[in-house]
Amino acid sequence: MTVIQNQAIVDKPVDAVYAFLADCNNHEQLMPTSIYNWSSTRDEASFTIQNMAKLSLKIDCRVENREVVFVPAEKAPFDVTLKWEVSSQDQHTLARLTVEADLNMMMKMLAAKPLQKLVDEQVDRLKRLMHS
């Protein structure tokens, strides 16, 4: 299992960050420009990753003010789980995005760097969005 993660301190209370992350409609704002054909509801999102694949994700689990877990809504090229965890840090929130992907060696060589870039960009965008 390949595990990719990043985290940031967000200048908002944990309930505000959780509420944002718990709605798939908000996640389009976290996506890089290589994502297109975005479509979402509160519980599900589908999109295309440029030069890669079309993905559909759904929320598998919500634990209020703690975590939001996404899994594929339909057959994906590999098993993947995305988990946002939030925890209170004084008046701020620690937000951590973890991607766990079941990648064979060849897929790992191709996908690990783009997945890390995706995680880094989403965490950075969340931090910037929540500061405005």
Side-chain angles (χ1 to χ4, degrees), residues 21-24 42-43 57-62 68-70:
L21 293 171
D23 186 342
C24 285
R42 176 170 161 67
D43 298 321
L57 297 173
K58 65 181 179 183
I59 293 181
D60 183 52
C61 171
R62 286 183 182 98
V68 181
V69 179
F70 297 84

Side-chain angles (χ1 to χ4, degrees), residues 11-69:
D11 195 21
K12 291 275 191 235
V14 72
D15 58 334
V17 177
Y18 172 82
F20 180 88
L21 293 171
D23 186 342
C24 285
N25 291 312
N26 293 327
H27 285 259
E28 183 176 15
Q29 298 172 65
L30 302 177
M31 292 295 171
T33 56
S34 60
I35 301 293
Y36 59 98
N37 291 337
W38 181 271
S39 170
S40 62
T41 64
R42 176 170 161 67
D43 298 321
E44 207 167 301
S46 63
F47 51 91
T48 304
I49 305 170
Q50 189 175 9
N51 300 327
M52 283 184 74
K54 181 172 173 58
L55 271 182
S56 290
L57 297 173
K58 65 181 179 183
I59 293 181
D60 183 52
C61 171
R62 286 183 182 98
V63 179
E64 191 168 350
N65 298 335
R66 298 249 330 265
E67 71 179 19
V68 181
V69 179

